[in-house]
Each structure stands twice: as C-alpha cells, then as structure tokens.
Amino acid sequence: MSVYKGMTGNSLADLFRSRQTIGRALCMPLLAVALATVCALAVTDLDKMQSVAAQRYGQDAANTVAEWRNTITQAKDLSDSEKIVLINDFFNTRIRFMEDPQAWGEKDYWATPLEVMAFRKGDCEDFSIAKYTTLLLAGVDMSKLRITYVKAKIGGAYSKVHAAHMVLAYYPTPNADPQILDNLVMRIQPASLRPDLTPVFGFNSNGLWVGGAATPATKDPGAKLSRWRDLLARASAEGLG
C-alpha cells in the first residue's frame, strides 16, 4: 500500500511548502552548484548559443533558438504569472517527451536547453531545467523557483502505480501554494490540485527542501550534483554561461 494514500490536496500543498533543509554536508555542495548556475546566466552569450545551434545542429535548430530568445524578450515585460504560462507553453508545445535511453542513449542524461531545443525532445528533467533556466533569463527571482523531484501516480490520483518524475514549482510568496509546471499536464495548476504528485525534494540557490522529512531524500546526492556540473559545463560551452 502506498504511504501517500489518503493524503489530501492541502497536505500535499503543505509538503510543497515545507521549508525544512537537510544537513550542511549535502546543502553546501548544492549551494555551490546552484550559485554557479547564477554566475553562468550572468555572462550568458545568446548570440553564441544561436551560432552554435546553427553550426552544430543546423538552421532549424538556430531558428528555434531565435524563437526562444524572442519569447524571453517578450516575457521580460510580463508579470511573473504571465511569464510562467508563456515559458511553460513554449516548451510543452514544441518539445516531445521521450525517456533518456530513447532520446540520448543513456540511462540518465541531463540535456542542456540547447540540446532540448535542437532535437525537440527530452524527459521530465530536461523540460524542468529548460523552463527553470528560461524563467531566470526572463527575470523571475530564483527564490521563487524550485526544480522538484516528485512521486507521480500514473493514471490519476487514485492509482497505486508510482513513477519518479520532475516538475518545476513556482512560489509567488515563500509560503504560497506553488504553481506546478509539468510537461505531462499542459495547464499550470497549484500543488493543492495535483494530488497525483508527492514531492520528494526540491532545490534552488537557497538550498534543498525535503518534502515533509528531515533526512536526505537521496542516498547518492553526489550523483545528482555531478550531473549538474556536467550540464553546466556543456551549457557554458554552448553560450549559456
């Protein structure tokens, strides 16, 4: 029996709002990686990124990057609530969901936003990272964003089949019911209306939050951090930092 059976929408929202942080040994390396993301975005060269897209992947990829850049420019003049809708729709309507082995030939691969746009495919992590990066470029405060690992009930809220999944959570205020940007559900909804999702942990530059628990949600955080470092290095070489 699932330990999440019977959990209400409000209690799920409370889990998403949880401010508990894990131990210093895990949190500090994560902060270093996340802060590196901020620094990378501060020196982003989108002209280079578009040039790399054309040289490496062809004109169609460069055109998609140009469209993405125009979307970022448009988003900068919008409210946060409008930005998240615009960016969520950009990726959900253009990128095809595909698991890592089929998309990239690896069991667990974190694609750069350029790779996602060039090949127009990716899994839940790729969608979430691309949306996260784009919203930062559009001017959304990082403190309002958390890349969040969840357990998703496949087939609906009453399903007993769970799968690991990643979404992007947007918090209008620190204790708000977050808005969930999900590649599997087109419409953005508050966490209280997503009983099919149970948060495991989420992170941004301020730390790592564990859904309703005081102990680490992963036994191998180094593996996740190494993927972040690899992603940042590849994205930087492409112009995103």
Side-chain angles (χ1 to χ4, degrees), residues 107-134:
K107 182 178 179 180
D108 191 7
Y109 180 77
W110 289 18
T112 66
L114 175 55
E115 290 172 325
V116 171
M117 289 186 283
F119 292 101
R120 289 180 176 260
K121 62 184 179 182
D123 70 353
C124 57
E125 293 165 343
D126 302 329
F127 274 88
S128 297
I129 291 168
K131 292 174 185 178
Y132 173 76
T133 302
T134 305

PDB file of all heavy atoms in Angstrom, residues 107-134:
ATOM      1  N   LYS A 107      21.087   5.995 -19.663  1.00  0.00           N
ATOM      2  CA  LYS A 107      20.073   5.703 -18.659  1.00  0.00           C
ATOM      3  C   LYS A 107      19.556   6.969 -17.999  1.00  0.00           C
ATOM      4  O   LYS A 107      18.350   7.107 -17.737  1.00  0.00           O
ATOM      5  CB  LYS A 107      20.648   4.752 -17.599  1.00  0.00           C
ATOM      6  CG  LYS A 107      19.642   4.348 -16.531  1.00  0.00           C
ATOM      7  CD  LYS A 107      20.258   3.376 -15.533  1.00  0.00           C
ATOM      8  CE  LYS A 107      19.246   2.995 -14.458  1.00  0.00           C
ATOM      9  NZ  LYS A 107      19.832   2.044 -13.470  1.00  0.00           N
ATOM     10  N   ASP A 108      20.450   7.905 -17.691  1.00  0.00           N
ATOM     11  CA  ASP A 108      20.051   9.146 -17.025  1.00  0.00           C
ATOM     12  C   ASP A 108      20.938  10.273 -17.528  1.00  0.00           C
ATOM     13  O   ASP A 108      22.084  10.410 -17.107  1.00  0.00           O
ATOM     14  CB  ASP A 108      20.178   9.005 -15.507  1.00  0.00           C
ATOM     15  CG  ASP A 108      19.531  10.165 -14.757  1.00  0.00           C
ATOM     16  OD1 ASP A 108      18.876  10.999 -15.411  1.00  0.00           O
ATOM     17  OD2 ASP A 108      19.679  10.233 -13.527  1.00  0.00           O
ATOM     18  N   TYR A 109      20.410  11.069 -18.437  1.00  0.00           N
ATOM     19  CA  TYR A 109      21.174  12.149 -19.067  1.00  0.00           C
ATOM     20  C   TYR A 109      20.427  13.458 -18.888  1.00  0.00           C
ATOM     21  O   TYR A 109      19.223  13.533 -19.144  1.00  0.00           O
ATOM     22  CB  TYR A 109      21.359  11.852 -20.553  1.00  0.00           C
ATOM     23  CG  TYR A 109      22.134  12.913 -21.311  1.00  0.00           C
ATOM     24  CD1 TYR A 109      23.513  12.991 -21.206  1.00  0.00           C
ATOM     25  CD2 TYR A 109      21.474  13.824 -22.137  1.00  0.00           C
ATOM     26  CE1 TYR A 109      24.228  13.956 -21.909  1.00  0.00           C
ATOM     27  CE2 TYR A 109      22.182  14.786 -22.843  1.00  0.00           C
ATOM     28  CZ  TYR A 109      23.558  14.851 -22.720  1.00  0.00           C
ATOM     29  OH  TYR A 109      24.262  15.803 -23.410  1.00  0.00           O
ATOM     30  N   TRP A 110      21.128  14.499 -18.438  1.00  0.00           N
ATOM     31  CA  TRP A 110      20.523  15.817 -18.292  1.00  0.00           C
ATOM     32  C   TRP A 110      20.943  16.663 -19.480  1.00  0.00           C
ATOM     33  O   TRP A 110      22.101  17.071 -19.594  1.00  0.00           O
ATOM     34  CB  TRP A 110      20.959  16.468 -16.982  1.00  0.00           C
ATOM     35  CG  TRP A 110      20.348  15.822 -15.771  1.00  0.00           C
ATOM     36  CD1 TRP A 110      19.769  14.585 -15.693  1.00  0.00           C
ATOM     37  CD2 TRP A 110      20.256  16.379 -14.459  1.00  0.00           C
ATOM     38  NE1 TRP A 110      19.321  14.341 -14.421  1.00  0.00           N
ATOM     39  CE2 TRP A 110      19.611  15.422 -13.635  1.00  0.00           C
ATOM     40  CE3 TRP A 110      20.659  17.586 -13.898  1.00  0.00           C
ATOM     41  CZ2 TRP A 110      19.359  15.646 -12.284  1.00  0.00           C
ATOM     42  CZ3 TRP A 110      20.412  17.814 -12.548  1.00  0.00           C
ATOM     43  CH2 TRP A 110      19.765  16.851 -11.754  1.00  0.00           C
ATOM     44  N   ALA A 111      20.017  16.925 -20.378  1.00  0.00           N
ATOM     45  CA  ALA A 111      20.306  17.675 -21.598  1.00  0.00           C
ATOM     46  C   ALA A 111      20.354  19.171 -21.318  1.00  0.00           C
ATOM     47  O   ALA A 111      19.658  19.681 -20.435  1.00  0.00           O
ATOM     48  CB  ALA A 111      19.248  17.377 -22.655  1.00  0.00           C
ATOM     49  N   THR A 112      21.167  19.871 -22.079  1.00  0.00           N
ATOM     50  CA  THR A 112      21.191  21.327 -21.986  1.00  0.00           C
ATOM     51  C   THR A 112      19.946  21.884 -22.677  1.00  0.00           C
ATOM     52  O   THR A 112      19.341  21.221 -23.536  1.00  0.00           O
ATOM     53  CB  THR A 112      22.435  21.907 -22.670  1.00  0.00           C
ATOM     54  OG1 THR A 112      22.347  21.656 -24.090  1.00  0.00           O
ATOM     55  CG2 THR A 112      23.712  21.290 -22.115  1.00  0.00           C
ATOM     56  N   PRO A 113      19.560  23.116 -22.343  1.00  0.00           N
ATOM     57  CA  PRO A 113      18.425  23.720 -23.053  1.00  0.00           C
ATOM     58  C   PRO A 113      18.621  23.748 -24.567  1.00  0.00           C
ATOM     59  O   PRO A 113      17.659  23.562 -25.318  1.00  0.00           O
ATOM     60  CB  PRO A 113      18.368  25.133 -22.459  1.00  0.00           C
ATOM     61  CG  PRO A 113      18.854  24.948 -21.055  1.00  0.00           C
ATOM     62  CD  PRO A 113      19.981  23.944 -21.189  1.00  0.00           C
ATOM     63  N   LEU A 114      19.867  23.966 -25.025  1.00  0.00           N
ATOM     64  CA  LEU A 114      20.113  23.966 -26.466  1.00  0.00           C
ATOM     65  C   LEU A 114      19.853  22.594 -27.067  1.00  0.00           C
ATOM     66  O   LEU A 114      19.231  22.480 -28.136  1.00  0.00           O
ATOM     67  CB  LEU A 114      21.548  24.406 -26.762  1.00  0.00           C
ATOM     68  CG  LEU A 114      21.971  24.343 -28.241  1.00  0.00           C
ATOM     69  CD1 LEU A 114      21.017  25.141 -29.117  1.00  0.00           C
ATOM     70  CD2 LEU A 114      23.406  24.831 -28.413  1.00  0.00           C
ATOM     71  N   GLU A 115      20.311  21.543 -26.412  1.00  0.00           N
ATOM     72  CA  GLU A 115      20.071  20.191 -26.924  1.00  0.00           C
ATOM     73  C   GLU A 115      18.578  19.890 -26.982  1.00  0.00           C
ATOM     74  O   GLU A 115      18.090  19.282 -27.944  1.00  0.00           O
ATOM     75  CB  GLU A 115      20.785  19.169 -26.032  1.00  0.00           C
ATOM     76  CG  GLU A 115      22.295  19.201 -26.158  1.00  0.00           C
ATOM     77  CD  GLU A 115      22.996  18.328 -25.137  1.00  0.00           C
ATOM     78  OE1 GLU A 115      22.502  18.224 -23.991  1.00  0.00           O
ATOM     79  OE2 GLU A 115      24.047  17.755 -25.475  1.00  0.00           O
ATOM     80  N   VAL A 116      17.863  20.314 -25.957  1.00  0.00           N
ATOM     81  CA  VAL A 116      16.414  20.088 -25.922  1.00  0.00           C
ATOM     82  C   VAL A 116      15.744  20.775 -27.108  1.00  0.00           C
ATOM     83  O   VAL A 116      14.898  20.191 -27.794  1.00  0.00           O
ATOM     84  CB  VAL A 116      15.826  20.604 -24.594  1.00  0.00           C
ATOM     85  CG1 VAL A 116      14.296  20.587 -24.636  1.00  0.00           C
ATOM     86  CG2 VAL A 116      16.321  19.757 -23.426  1.00  0.00           C
ATOM     87  N   MET A 117      16.136  22.028 -27.363  1.00  0.00           N
ATOM     88  CA  MET A 117      15.517  22.771 -28.462  1.00  0.00           C
ATOM     89  C   MET A 117      15.978  22.267 -29.822  1.00  0.00           C
ATOM     90  O   MET A 117      15.197  22.231 -30.780  1.00  0.00           O
ATOM     91  CB  MET A 117      15.819  24.264 -28.307  1.00  0.00           C
ATOM     92  CG  MET A 117      15.066  24.908 -27.153  1.00  0.00           C
ATOM     93  SD  MET A 117      15.283  26.706 -27.062  1.00  0.00           S
ATOM     94  CE  MET A 117      16.943  26.815 -26.352  1.00  0.00           C
ATOM     95  N   ALA A 118      17.246  21.865 -29.927  1.00  0.00           N
ATOM     96  CA  ALA A 118      17.778  21.404 -31.212  1.00  0.00           C
ATOM     97  C   ALA A 118      17.116  20.111 -31.666  1.00  0.00           C
ATOM     98  O   ALA A 118      16.775  19.952 -32.845  1.00  0.00           O
ATOM     99  CB  ALA A 118      19.289  21.220 -31.115  1.00  0.00           C
ATOM    100  N   PHE A 119      16.932  19.182 -30.722  1.00  0.00           N
ATOM    101  CA  PHE A 119      16.360  17.884 -31.074  1.00  0.00           C
ATOM    102  C   PHE A 119      14.861  17.809 -30.797  1.00  0.00           C
ATOM    103  O   PHE A 119      14.211  16.829 -31.152  1.00  0.00           O
ATOM    104  CB  PHE A 119      17.086  16.772 -30.310  1.00  0.00           C
ATOM    105  CG  PHE A 119      18.514  16.586 -30.740  1.00  0.00           C
ATOM    106  CD1 PHE A 119      19.557  17.110 -29.989  1.00  0.00           C
ATOM    107  CD2 PHE A 119      18.817  15.909 -31.908  1.00  0.00           C
ATOM    108  CE1 PHE A 119      20.875  16.950 -30.388  1.00  0.00           C
ATOM    109  CE2 PHE A 119      20.132  15.738 -32.315  1.00  0.00           C
ATOM    110  CZ  PHE A 119      21.169  16.268 -31.558  1.00  0.00           C
ATOM    111  N   ARG A 120      14.344  18.842 -30.122  1.00  0.00           N
ATOM    112  CA  ARG A 120      12.913  18.918 -29.790  1.00  0.00           C
ATOM    113  C   ARG A 120      12.432  17.661 -29.058  1.00  0.00           C
ATOM    114  O   ARG A 120      11.360  17.119 -29.346  1.00  0.00           O
ATOM    115  CB  ARG A 120      12.075  19.157 -31.048  1.00  0.00           C
ATOM    116  CG  ARG A 120      12.244  20.561 -31.624  1.00  0.00           C
ATOM    117  CD  ARG A 120      11.402  20.766 -32.864  1.00  0.00           C
ATOM    118  NE  ARG A 120      11.491  22.136 -33.342  1.00  0.00           N
ATOM    119  CZ  ARG A 120      10.573  23.088 -33.120  1.00  0.00           C
ATOM    120  NH1 ARG A 120       9.496  22.803 -32.416  1.00  0.00           N
ATOM    121  NH2 ARG A 120      10.730  24.304 -33.603  1.00  0.00           N
ATOM    122  N   LYS A 121      13.236  17.218 -28.105  1.00  0.00           N
ATOM    123  CA  LYS A 121      12.858  16.057 -27.313  1.00  0.00           C
ATOM    124  C   LYS A 121      13.557  16.123 -25.966  1.00  0.00           C
ATOM    125  O   LYS A 121      14.567  16.823 -25.800  1.00  0.00           O
ATOM    126  CB  LYS A 121      13.227  14.756 -28.028  1.00  0.00           C
ATOM    127  CG  LYS A 121      14.722  14.573 -28.273  1.00  0.00           C
ATOM    128  CD  LYS A 121      15.002  13.313 -29.082  1.00  0.00           C
ATOM    129  CE  LYS A 121      16.502  13.147 -29.350  1.00  0.00           C
ATOM    130  NZ  LYS A 121      16.783  11.948 -30.177  1.00  0.00           N
ATOM    131  N   GLY A 122      13.015  15.398 -24.992  1.00  0.00           N
ATOM    132  CA  GLY A 122      13.622  15.351 -23.675  1.00  0.00           C
ATOM    133  C   GLY A 122      12.679  14.717 -22.672  1.00  0.00           C
ATOM    134  O   GLY A 122      11.486  14.549 -22.943  1.00  0.00           O
ATOM    135  N   ASP A 123      13.224  14.364 -21.514  1.00  0.00           N
ATOM    136  CA  ASP A 123      12.375  13.803 -20.467  1.00  0.00           C
ATOM    137  C   ASP A 123      12.004  14.895 -19.476  1.00  0.00           C
ATOM    138  O   ASP A 123      12.269  16.082 -19.702  1.00  0.00           O
ATOM    139  CB  ASP A 123      13.048  12.606 -19.792  1.00  0.00           C
ATOM    140  CG  ASP A 123      14.238  12.982 -18.924  1.00  0.00           C
ATOM    141  OD1 ASP A 123      14.649  14.167 -18.932  1.00  0.00           O
ATOM    142  OD2 ASP A 123      14.764  12.095 -18.222  1.00  0.00           O
ATOM    143  N   CYS A 124      11.387  14.508 -18.360  1.00  0.00           N
ATOM    144  CA  CYS A 124      10.859  15.491 -17.412  1.00  0.00           C
ATOM    145  C   CYS A 124      11.954  16.391 -16.842  1.00  0.00           C
ATOM    146  O   CYS A 124      11.729  17.588 -16.613  1.00  0.00           O
ATOM    147  CB  CYS A 124      10.105  14.786 -16.293  1.00  0.00           C
ATOM    148  SG  CYS A 124      11.078  13.557 -15.375  1.00  0.00           S
ATOM    149  N   GLU A 125      13.145  15.839 -16.613  1.00  0.00           N
ATOM    150  CA  GLU A 125      14.247  16.649 -16.101  1.00  0.00           C
ATOM    151  C   GLU A 125      14.656  17.709 -17.119  1.00  0.00           C
ATOM    152  O   GLU A 125      14.914  18.861 -16.760  1.00  0.00           O
ATOM    153  CB  GLU A 125      15.435  15.745 -15.755  1.00  0.00           C
ATOM    154  CG  GLU A 125      15.162  14.813 -14.594  1.00  0.00           C
ATOM    155  CD  GLU A 125      16.174  13.686 -14.485  1.00  0.00           C
ATOM    156  OE1 GLU A 125      16.888  13.423 -15.473  1.00  0.00           O
ATOM    157  OE2 GLU A 125      16.227  13.058 -13.420  1.00  0.00           O
ATOM    158  N   ASP A 126      14.713  17.316 -18.379  1.00  0.00           N
ATOM    159  CA  ASP A 126      15.104  18.254 -19.429  1.00  0.00           C
ATOM    160  C   ASP A 126      14.098  19.394 -19.557  1.00  0.00           C
ATOM    161  O   ASP A 126      14.481  20.563 -19.706  1.00  0.00           O
ATOM    162  CB  ASP A 126      15.231  17.519 -20.764  1.00  0.00           C
ATOM    163  CG  ASP A 126      16.237  16.380 -20.716  1.00  0.00           C
ATOM    164  OD1 ASP A 126      17.209  16.483 -19.945  1.00  0.00           O
ATOM    165  OD2 ASP A 126      16.041  15.385 -21.431  1.00  0.00           O
ATOM    166  N   PHE A 127      12.812  19.067 -19.497  1.00  0.00           N
ATOM    167  CA  PHE A 127      11.776  20.095 -19.535  1.00  0.00           C
ATOM    168  C   PHE A 127      11.937  21.059 -18.357  1.00  0.00           C
ATOM    169  O   PHE A 127      11.897  22.281 -18.526  1.00  0.00           O
ATOM    170  CB  PHE A 127      10.388  19.457 -19.458  1.00  0.00           C
ATOM    171  CG  PHE A 127       9.811  19.007 -20.770  1.00  0.00           C
ATOM    172  CD1 PHE A 127      10.079  17.742 -21.265  1.00  0.00           C
ATOM    173  CD2 PHE A 127       8.978  19.836 -21.507  1.00  0.00           C
ATOM    174  CE1 PHE A 127       9.532  17.305 -22.465  1.00  0.00           C
ATOM    175  CE2 PHE A 127       8.418  19.419 -22.709  1.00  0.00           C
ATOM    176  CZ  PHE A 127       8.701  18.149 -23.195  1.00  0.00           C
ATOM    177  N   SER A 128      12.090  20.505 -17.155  1.00  0.00           N
ATOM    178  CA  SER A 128      12.141  21.332 -15.947  1.00  0.00           C
ATOM    179  C   SER A 128      13.354  22.247 -15.940  1.00  0.00           C
ATOM    180  O   SER A 128      13.259  23.428 -15.588  1.00  0.00           O
ATOM    181  CB  SER A 128      12.155  20.435 -14.701  1.00  0.00           C
ATOM    182  OG  SER A 128      10.973  19.674 -14.613  1.00  0.00           O
ATOM    183  N   ILE A 129      14.506  21.718 -16.335  1.00  0.00           N
ATOM    184  CA  ILE A 129      15.729  22.521 -16.359  1.00  0.00           C
ATOM    185  C   ILE A 129      15.634  23.619 -17.410  1.00  0.00           C
ATOM    186  O   ILE A 129      16.045  24.762 -17.177  1.00  0.00           O
ATOM    187  CB  ILE A 129      16.950  21.615 -16.608  1.00  0.00           C
ATOM    188  CG1 ILE A 129      17.187  20.716 -15.386  1.00  0.00           C
ATOM    189  CG2 ILE A 129      18.195  22.440 -16.914  1.00  0.00           C
ATOM    190  CD1 ILE A 129      18.165  19.586 -15.627  1.00  0.00           C
ATOM    191  N   ALA A 130      15.089  23.296 -18.578  1.00  0.00           N
ATOM    192  CA  ALA A 130      14.951  24.297 -19.636  1.00  0.00           C
ATOM    193  C   ALA A 130      14.005  25.420 -19.209  1.00  0.00           C
ATOM    194  O   ALA A 130      14.278  26.606 -19.443  1.00  0.00           O
ATOM    195  CB  ALA A 130      14.451  23.634 -20.918  1.00  0.00           C
ATOM    196  N   LYS A 131      12.894  25.062 -18.573  1.00  0.00           N
ATOM    197  CA  LYS A 131      11.947  26.082 -18.103  1.00  0.00           C
ATOM    198  C   LYS A 131      12.577  26.935 -17.003  1.00  0.00           C
ATOM    199  O   LYS A 131      12.415  28.163 -16.981  1.00  0.00           O
ATOM    200  CB  LYS A 131      10.673  25.409 -17.589  1.00  0.00           C
ATOM    201  CG  LYS A 131       9.843  24.727 -18.663  1.00  0.00           C
ATOM    202  CD  LYS A 131       8.676  23.957 -18.050  1.00  0.00           C
ATOM    203  CE  LYS A 131       7.909  23.167 -19.098  1.00  0.00           C
ATOM    204  NZ  LYS A 131       6.795  22.386 -18.507  1.00  0.00           N
ATOM    205  N   TYR A 132      13.271  26.281 -16.097  1.00  0.00           N
ATOM    206  CA  TYR A 132      13.933  26.963 -14.983  1.00  0.00           C
ATOM    207  C   TYR A 132      14.934  27.991 -15.506  1.00  0.00           C
ATOM    208  O   TYR A 132      14.917  29.162 -15.116  1.00  0.00           O
ATOM    209  CB  TYR A 132      14.622  25.899 -14.139  1.00  0.00           C
ATOM    210  CG  TYR A 132      15.517  26.372 -13.026  1.00  0.00           C
ATOM    211  CD1 TYR A 132      14.989  26.854 -11.837  1.00  0.00           C
ATOM    212  CD2 TYR A 132      16.904  26.287 -13.150  1.00  0.00           C
ATOM    213  CE1 TYR A 132      15.821  27.250 -10.798  1.00  0.00           C
ATOM    214  CE2 TYR A 132      17.735  26.678 -12.120  1.00  0.00           C
ATOM    215  CZ  TYR A 132      17.191  27.158 -10.943  1.00  0.00           C
ATOM    216  OH  TYR A 132      18.019  27.546  -9.922  1.00  0.00           O
ATOM    217  N   THR A 133      15.809  27.564 -16.404  1.00  0.00           N
ATOM    218  CA  THR A 133      16.818  28.449 -16.971  1.00  0.00           C
ATOM    219  C   THR A 133      16.176  29.615 -17.711  1.00  0.00           C
ATOM    220  O   THR A 133      16.593  30.769 -17.574  1.00  0.00           O
ATOM    221  CB  THR A 133      17.721  27.662 -17.937  1.00  0.00           C
ATOM    222  OG1 THR A 133      18.325  26.566 -17.240  1.00  0.00           O
ATOM    223  CG2 THR A 133      18.805  28.553 -18.519  1.00  0.00           C
ATOM    224  N   THR A 134      15.143  29.321 -18.479  1.00  0.00           N
ATOM    225  CA  THR A 134      14.486  30.354 -19.277  1.00  0.00           C
ATOM    226  C   THR A 134      13.788  31.379 -18.397  1.00  0.00           C
ATOM    227  O   THR A 134      13.844  32.587 -18.670  1.00  0.00           O
ATOM    228  CB  THR A 134      13.482  29.708 -20.248  1.00  0.00           C
ATOM    229  OG1 THR A 134      14.156  28.724 -21.040  1.00  0.00           O
ATOM    230  CG2 THR A 134      12.870  30.752 -21.167  1.00  0.00           C
TER     231      THR A 134
END
